[in-house]
């Protein structure tokens, strides 16, 4: 989350009246920055990661583990810590004070009042040795965060709090449910960051939608789970708000865990990576090429098997966030006729490609993409090309949700606030970010689908892996295009329990250019099309799009067919049987073989790749599987899908122990004897 | 005697030839596969060119006396079409130097060159070989200097049960005298400003210590091959640290191009380029003894972006007619 402006936030009926103005000013600001920055060249590869934490209270003697709502106090403590200040910490406005040496990490508020976000104090570069600083830096962030909490508070990186929204007390301090903003029958208004932006966001989404959000997750059906299963925590007799009728009108169907507030989604922690491109062309290329990888990385990082105290039948957070911020009106949902029907929530997988790449075939686009034609025309008139104009005209079908009255006095073209208002409330799995108004940094692409992992080792491994993948894509000029609707389909597939091993994903068969580029300095760094050695070489005929991709397991995609199915693989490297797939890790290794890396760095990078290899092959479990098994093998588990307070406490306790061990640098060995069951199946021998 | 200069062109977008296979580390497959695919591509390209010329010839004299596809009657593109005799060497395939060069200013790149001296070449020729190989790379990349030139000497490896043993075995490998005798020529390239830093490959602690005593311009890099175990032998780590030598990883083999492999690449077989005469059929082609002289690998990486823009190989062989 960026800096939080202060002001008078408009309620939805008022905001709605100003939506058009904000959009039209937003477009003008976009054109301003686009004109200023479209020719920006040769920006360095810089990148950053964002780690999000839940803050819990836990001590062995307390019977319960609770979410701590002291986010503001913790951030204040971080901001007021003079020793941190001296070293350049810690909240953004104080960051510029940094003196010599590495700036300290930066902490940010998040939607959930029980959450924290931390980023490195300055962006990372692409020196390979520097990649090894990511993990220590993540550990430092956790350490600093912990130092500014109460002794019984802990920052943990579970995606969701297992019993968020369960009956009874689950926050510290506790507040009554059914407040005026969220009107939730499960969580209090105080669950959200009290900054006016956040309750307004939640309230206006609800208001625009005309009812509460409906976050329904299929429940996992275990041996003793009653069937059909009716969510026992739903109260059908509440009459405080008009929205209390929602459940009486069928908002909570059988066999689904029912949730009704933004906090159930936006209260999830994830791992996001932002890359700076050398120019707009490379940025657009990266945006497109990373898109098809999103669902695969989502399945690989699955870590979310519990909601509101029940085992879910899905493993990831994505759709729950999508539903938790779904502000579509009944008309937009297609329940009534209106100007347009919008097929997806504001939080959803990407809906279009934006690159100028010649390999982007018309067939890859969604023919039914909803766009605002007027806005597209304004962008075209402003000189923007069709593809990029289409992208932004798609984002701008949404209304701005939070509008501050003070910002509506006059249009300020030296800012991007109105553009960002729409842009940053379009939560797609990739985000294409223009430079800021002062043009001080480059075009950036954010990769957003990954789930946060329990340890910093894992989070560093995934961050570094994604960085290396981008270098491989640009160096080898790889082509991951598949039709965007197949990416949508993959996103759904990634939700299935153990999708990483049990499901297959649409993926492109041949990543390499079909014709070999010039024998001299062909492209590959993105800006120019590879020069052809001989114009006379006949173009490779283009077959049907459907022949370009097939279903693959995550193992095949990550490790390659030769690793995933060694007996079936053809080891002749020049063969092209059509089924052989090189695998992302072998491609990364080929890349590392071609650059100068010192021995220590190569070994550490190798460890990260090994972790990912083993998660993809099933040698190690995902966090989702580990959590699921932890619950199922708990002596108090009744086989009825219920995750009780006691189980929750032991699970969170185990996660805290793992985190403490990691902080101490002592290795995970022996933790299994201290109640952290099956840790070896999650972590293998890594950092033992 | 004929000199052959083989080249791969830029292989970064070369598809399968650059992909690692499980267990396929430390191999010369990248070199051989990319040479083979470049030969094939050149034969197709230039056959198409020849075809286009044929068409114009047909239009001019109307006799239609061509085979219509630019192919020789053997089914292969004639060597004269896709190779070129230039400055005393036969370029396989021919190189269009007008396409040479990098996209950005030379200062943006880290250029690493690795020269493999081969056991099939005379030690006395190494000074000339180094100059020649580096010259081709500079020309291909359109630059005046490279950042790092790594020397790989024949008969060396860094293998064994984990690196401890590798270090011990390594001490007896190679030929100290020849390596030391070669080095002044490499130092010259550095002094001429063509190479900023020098490196070596596969030197264990003992060999490295001996080598350092004999050289004036010291290597700043030693490339070693590590397997799955990441234990670099402490003596080597210590020595490298004391001497300010960076230990880098590589996965090349030292004897990267053997006589047999080269014959197969250029020979008349199904996977060959058809440049050598077929002794069975007595058809056209080069005849004689073919000895690989050196191989050079070059890589140009955009420094602050980590993007490999250009990577390729040149190889040189001498053909002695019988």
């Amino acid at each position: 989350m960026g800096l939080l402006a202060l002001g008078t936030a408009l309620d939805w009926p008022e905001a709605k009246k100003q939506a058009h103005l904000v959009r039209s000013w937003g477009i003008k600001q976009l054109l301003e920055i686009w004109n200023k920055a479209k020719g920006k060249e040769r920006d360095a590869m810089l990148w950053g990661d964002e780690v999000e934490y839940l803050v819990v209270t836990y001590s062995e003697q307390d019977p319960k583990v609770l979410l701590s709502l002291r986010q503001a106090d913790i951030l204040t403590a971080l901001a007021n810590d003079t020793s941190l200040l001296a070293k350049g910490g810690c909240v953004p406005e104080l960051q510029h004070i940094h003196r010599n040496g590495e700036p300290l990490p930066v902490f940010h508020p998040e939607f959930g009042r029980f959450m924290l976000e931390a980023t490195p104090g300055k962006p990372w570069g692409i020196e390979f040795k520097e990649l090894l600083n990511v993990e220590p830096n993540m550990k430092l962030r956790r350490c600093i965060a912990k130092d500014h909490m109460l002794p019984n508070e802990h920052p943990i990186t579970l995606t969701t709090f297992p019993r968020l929204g369960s009956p009874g007390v689950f926050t510290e301090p506790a507040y009554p449910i059914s407040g005026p903003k969220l009107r939730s029958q499960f969580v209090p208004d105080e669950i959200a960051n009290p900054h006016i932006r956040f309750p307004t966001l939640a309230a206006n989404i609800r208001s625009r939608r005309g009812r509460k959000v409906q976050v329904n997750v299929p429940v996992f059906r275990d041996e003793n789970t009653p069937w059909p299963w009716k969510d026992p925590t739903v109260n059908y007799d509440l009459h405080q708000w008009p929205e209390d009728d929602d459940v009486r009108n069928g908002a909570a169907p059988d066999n689904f865990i029912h949730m009704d507030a933004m906090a159930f989604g936006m209260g999830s922690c994830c791992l996001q990576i932002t890359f700076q491109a050398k120019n707009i062309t490379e940025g657009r290329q990266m945006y497109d090429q990373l898109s098809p990888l999103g669902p695969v990385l989502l399945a690989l990082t699955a870590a979310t098997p519990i909601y509101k105290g029940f085992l879910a039948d899905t493993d990831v957070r994505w759709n729950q966030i999508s539903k938790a911020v779904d502000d579509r009106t009944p008309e937009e949902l297609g329940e009534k006729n209106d100007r347009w029907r919008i097929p997806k929530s504001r939080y959803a997988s990407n809906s279009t490609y934006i690159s100028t790449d010649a390999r982007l075939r018309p067939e890859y686009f969604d023919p039914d993409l909803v766009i605002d034609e007027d806005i597209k025309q304004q962008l075209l008139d402003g000189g923007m090309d069709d593809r990029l104009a289409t992208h932004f005209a798609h984002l701008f079908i949404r209304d701005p949700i939070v509008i501050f009255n003070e910002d509506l006095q006059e249009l300020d073209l030296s800012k991007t606030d109105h553009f960002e208002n729409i842009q940053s409330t379009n939560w797609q799995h990739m985000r294409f970010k223009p430079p800021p108004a002062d043009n001080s940094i480059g075009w950036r692409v954010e990769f957003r689908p990954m789930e946060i992992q329990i340890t910093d080792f894992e989070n560093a491994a995934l961050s570094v892996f994604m960085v290396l993948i981008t270098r491989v894509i640009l160096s080898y000029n790889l082509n991951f295009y598949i039709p965007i609707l197949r990416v949508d389909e993959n996103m759904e597939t990634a939700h299935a329990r153990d999708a990483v091993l049990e499901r297959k994903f649409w993926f492109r068969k041949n990543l390499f250019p079909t014709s070999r580029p010039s024998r001299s300095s062909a492209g590959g760094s993105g800006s120019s099309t590879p020069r052809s050695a001989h114009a006379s070489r006949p173009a490779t005929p283009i077959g049907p799009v459907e022949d370009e991709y097939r279903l693959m397991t995550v193992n095949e995609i990550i490790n390659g067919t030769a690793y995933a199915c060694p007996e079936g693989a053809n080891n002749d490297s020049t063969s092209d049987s059509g089924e052989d797939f090189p695998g992302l890790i072998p491609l990364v290794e080929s890349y590392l073989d071609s650059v100068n890396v010192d021995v220590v760095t190569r070994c550490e990078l190798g460890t990260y790749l090994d972790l990912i290899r083993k998660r993809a092959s099933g040698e190690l479990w995902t966090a989702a599987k580990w959590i699921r098994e932890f619950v199922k093998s708990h002596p108090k588990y009744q086989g009825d899908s219920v995750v009780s307070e006691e189980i929750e406490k032991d699970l969170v306790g185990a996660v805290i122990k793992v985190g403490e061990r990691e902080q101490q640098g002592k290795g995970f060995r022996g933790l299994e004897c201290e109640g952290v069951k099956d840790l070896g199946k999650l972590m293998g021998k890594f950092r033992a | 005697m004929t000199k052959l200069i083989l080249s791969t062109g830029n292989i970064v977008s070369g598809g399968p030839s650059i992909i690692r296979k499980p267990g396929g580390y430390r191999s010369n497959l990248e070199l051989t596969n990319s040479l083979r695919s470049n030969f094939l591509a050149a034969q197709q390209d230039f056959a198409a060119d020849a075809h286009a010329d044929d068409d114009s010839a047909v239009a001019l004299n109307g006799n239609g006396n061509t085979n219509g596809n630019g192919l020789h009657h053997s089914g292969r593109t004639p060597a004269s079409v896709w190779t070129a005799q230039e400055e005393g060497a036969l370029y396989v395939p021919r190189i269009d130097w007008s396409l040479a060069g990098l996209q950005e200013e030379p200062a943006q790149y880290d250029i690493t060159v690795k020269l493999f001296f081969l056991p099939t070449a005379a030690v006395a020729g190494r000074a000339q070989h180094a100059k020649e190989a580096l010259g081709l790379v500079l020309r291909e990349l359109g630059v005046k200097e490279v950042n790092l030139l790594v020397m790989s000497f024949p008969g060396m490896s860094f293998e064994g049960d984990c690196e401890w043993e590798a270090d011990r075995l390594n001490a007896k490998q190679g030929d100290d005298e020849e390596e030391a005798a070669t080095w002044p020529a490499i130092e010259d390239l550095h002094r001429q400003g063509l190479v900023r830093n020098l490196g070596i490959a596969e030197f264990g602690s003992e060999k490295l210590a001996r080598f350092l005593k004999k050289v004036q311009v010291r290597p700043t890099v030693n490339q070693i091959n590590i397997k799955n175990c990441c234990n670099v032998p402490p003596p080597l780590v210590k020595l490298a640290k004391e001497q300010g030598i960076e230990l880098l990883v590589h996965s090349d083999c030292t004897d990267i191009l053997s006589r047999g492999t080269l014959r197969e690449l250029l020979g008349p077989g199904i996977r060959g380029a058809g440049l050598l005469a077929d002794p069975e059929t007595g058809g056209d082609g080069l005849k004689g003894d073919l000895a690989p002289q050196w191989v050079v690998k070059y890589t140009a990486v955009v420094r602050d972006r980590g993007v490999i823009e250009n990577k390729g190989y040149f190889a040189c062989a001498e053909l002695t007619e019988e």
Side-chain angles (χ1 to χ4, degrees), chain B residues 93-312:
Chain B
R94 61 168 68 213
I95 296 173
D96 181 353
W97 294 105
S98 71
L99 296 172
L102 295 166
Q103 292 180 16
E104 296 178 21
E105 296 302 307
Q108 302 268 340
Y109 295 89
D110 253 328
I111 299 172
T112 300
V113 177
K114 183 170 182 182
L115 177 59
F116 300 82
F117 292 123
L118 301 176
T120 40
V123 177
R126 284 183 184 172
Q128 180 59 26
H129 292 164
K131 206 174 133 194
E132 196 172 85
L134 184 63
L136 283 165
V137 172
L138 295 175
R139 190 175 180 195
E140 171 70 19
L141 299 181
V143 293
K144 294 196 165 59
E145 64 166 351
V146 301
N147 301 77
L148 176 64
L149 175 62
V150 177
M151 292 295 129
S152 167
F153 295 103
M156 307 215 347
S157 70
F158 208 71
E159 277 181 289
D161 282 344
C162 240
E163 286 77 4
W164 279 96
E165 193 181 331
D167 201 33
R168 213 169 46 238
L169 289 172
N170 179 277
K172 301 188 188 76
Q173 292 175 338
D175 185 319
D176 285 11
E177 293 308 313
E178 287 178 7
E179 290 146 18
T182 305
W183 198 250
I186 310 305
E187 292 175 332
D188 271 351
L189 298 173
H190 170 75
R191 291 195 190 98
Q192 289 168 37
L194 301 175
V195 177
R196 214 169 294 164
N197 294 294
L198 302 180
I200 47 177
E202 310 281 22
F203 276 64
S205 56
E206 290 184 37
K207 264 195 89 81
L208 181 59
R210 296 197 298 260
F211 184 72
L212 290 174
K213 287 186 190 132
K214 299 177 188 168
V215 302
Q216 289 183 16
V217 180
R218 299 151 67 80
T220 59
V221 161
N222 181 20
Q223 286 189 333
I224 61 171
N225 187 253
I226 47 164
K227 287 187 177 171
N228 295 328
C229 47
C230 284
N231 310 316
V232 181
L236 182 57
V237 174
K238 185 163 173 281
L239 180 65
K241 200 171 175 188
E242 284 167 3
Q243 303 291 335
I245 294 172
E246 205 174 13
L247 296 176
L248 300 184
V249 181
H250 78 111
S251 57
D252 309 305
C253 49
T254 41
D255 301 331
I256 191 167
L257 187 60
S258 69
R259 242 177 240 272
T261 305
L262 183 61
R263 281 210 82 83
E264 195 199 341
L265 275 169
L266 297 177
I270 190 153
R271 284 161 64 78
L275 209 57
L276 305 182
D278 188 345
E280 311 245 315
T281 63
D284 292 349
L286 303 173
K287 297 189 188 72
D289 178 55
L290 194 59
Q293 301 295 300
W294 49 262
V295 170
V296 69
K297 175 167 84 166
Y298 54 91
T299 316
V301 178
V302 186
R303 187 174 294 121
D304 61 3
R305 292 204 296 275
V307 172
I308 308 168
E309 183 180 303
N310 201 325
K311 174 179 178 180

Side-chain angles (χ1 to χ4, degrees), chain A residues 41-46 126-129 277-278 282 470-471 474-477 512-513 515-528 530-534 536-538 559 562-563 570-575 580 582-583 586-587 589-600 602-604 607, chain B residues 8-22 29-30 33-34 36-38 41-42 44-46 48-49 93-96 98-105 108 112 140 148 223-224 226 229-232 246-251 271 297-299 301-311:
Chain A
E41 276 293 341
R42 293 186 191 175
D43 280 314
M45 159 62 173
L46 296 175
I126 184 62
E127 278 282 315
F128 296 107
K129 280 182 189 142
K278 76 165 177 180
E282 188 184 272
T470 63
R471 300 307 94 187
L474 296 175
S475 294
Y476 298 156
N477 203 15
F512 287 95
S515 67
R516 204 168 177 283
S518 144
R519 64 200 71 247
S520 66
S521 60
S525 46
S527 73
S528 64
R531 279 183 273 167
S532 171
H534 293 275
S536 59
R537 186 188 298 173
N559 292 319
Y563 183 94
N570 186 342
N571 274 316
D572 180 349
S573 60
T574 57
S575 82
D580 279 0
L587 284 166
E589 287 174 332
S590 297
Y591 168 82
L592 290 173
D593 284 349
S594 297
V595 290
N596 294 326
V597 190
D598 70 273
V599 175
V600 174
R602 184 66 182 81
C603 286
E604 286 296 321
T607 307
Chain B
T8 62
N10 187 357
I11 65 170
V12 284
S13 305
S17 59
I18 56 169
I19 301 166
R20 246 199 209 219
K21 295 279 170 179
L29 276 179
E30 180 177 88
N33 286 336
S34 47
R36 188 175 289 123
S37 88
N38 198 35
Q44 287 167 359
D45 288 344
F46 291 104
D49 284 359
R94 61 168 68 213
I95 296 173
D96 181 353
S98 71
L99 296 172
L102 295 166
Q103 292 180 16
E104 296 178 21
E105 296 302 307
Q108 302 268 340
T112 300
E140 171 70 19
L148 176 64
Q223 286 189 333
I224 61 171
I226 47 164
C229 47
C230 284
N231 310 316
V232 181
E246 205 174 13
L247 296 176
L248 300 184
V249 181
H250 78 111
S251 57
R271 284 161 64 78
K297 175 167 84 166
Y298 54 91
T299 316
V301 178
V302 186
R303 187 174 294 121
D304 61 3
R305 292 204 296 275
V307 172
I308 308 168
E309 183 180 303
N310 201 325
K311 174 179 178 180

Side-chain angles (χ1 to χ4, degrees), chain A residues 373-559:
Chain A
E373 293 290 352
D374 290 344
I375 281 175
K376 181 173 170 182
Q377 194 56 49
Q378 287 174 49
L379 292 170
L380 293 174
D381 292 345
M384 194 179 282
D385 59 277
D386 192 275
R387 261 177 206 163
L388 202 56
T390 302
H391 167 70
F392 287 115
H394 168 65
L395 299 188
F396 272 68
I397 61 175
R398 311 289 175 175
D399 280 339
I401 297 295
V402 181
I403 300 175
F404 290 102
N405 201 28
E406 291 76 0
D407 297 336
L408 299 176
Q409 308 309 317
E410 60 181 17
L411 171 60
D412 184 349
L413 285 177
S414 69
K415 287 171 138 185
T416 54
D417 54 341
H418 298 294
F419 165 69
E420 285 297 340
N421 193 337
I422 308 279
Q423 157 100 341
S424 68
T425 52
N426 265 280
W427 297 279
Q428 302 193 332
H429 81 274
M430 302 288 309
R431 188 177 282 159
F432 182 59
K433 297 173 149 179
D438 64 4
N439 208 10
S440 57
I441 46 179
W443 294 88
R444 287 147 302 146
V445 165
E446 185 180 9
F447 187 72
R448 305 166 41 81
M450 291 193 284
E451 308 230 307
I452 200 75
Q453 306 292 295
I454 292 170
T455 66
D456 290 324
F457 165 65
E458 297 162 279
N459 290 316
L462 286 157
S463 305
V464 167
F465 175 67
M466 286 313 301
V467 169
L468 292 174
I469 281 290
T470 63
R471 300 307 94 187
V472 170
I473 288 171
L474 296 175
S475 294
Y476 298 156
N477 203 15
L478 298 183
N479 176 2
F480 287 110
Y481 278 124
I482 56 172
I484 196 81
L485 292 173
R486 293 298 195 193
V487 178
D488 282 356
E489 212 180 312
N490 285 346
M491 214 64 170
E492 287 305 312
T493 305
H495 283 71
R497 243 185 317 123
D498 234 0
V500 66
L501 301 180
E502 301 296 329
R503 296 300 173 101
K504 290 187 170 188
F505 294 80
W506 297 111
F507 213 78
R508 191 176 178 90
K509 293 192 260 187
N510 183 10
L511 308 178
F512 287 95
T514 43
S515 67
R516 204 168 177 283
S518 144
R519 64 200 71 247
S520 66
S521 60
S525 46
S527 73
S528 64
T529 17
R531 279 183 273 167
S532 171
H534 293 275
S536 59
R537 186 188 298 173
T540 309
I542 292 181
V545 164
E546 293 69 35
D547 291 350
E548 293 178 348
Y549 56 88
R550 68 177 175 92
L551 285 168
M552 293 189 206
T553 60
V554 171
N555 195 9
E556 285 177 282
I557 294 167
I558 297 287
N559 292 319

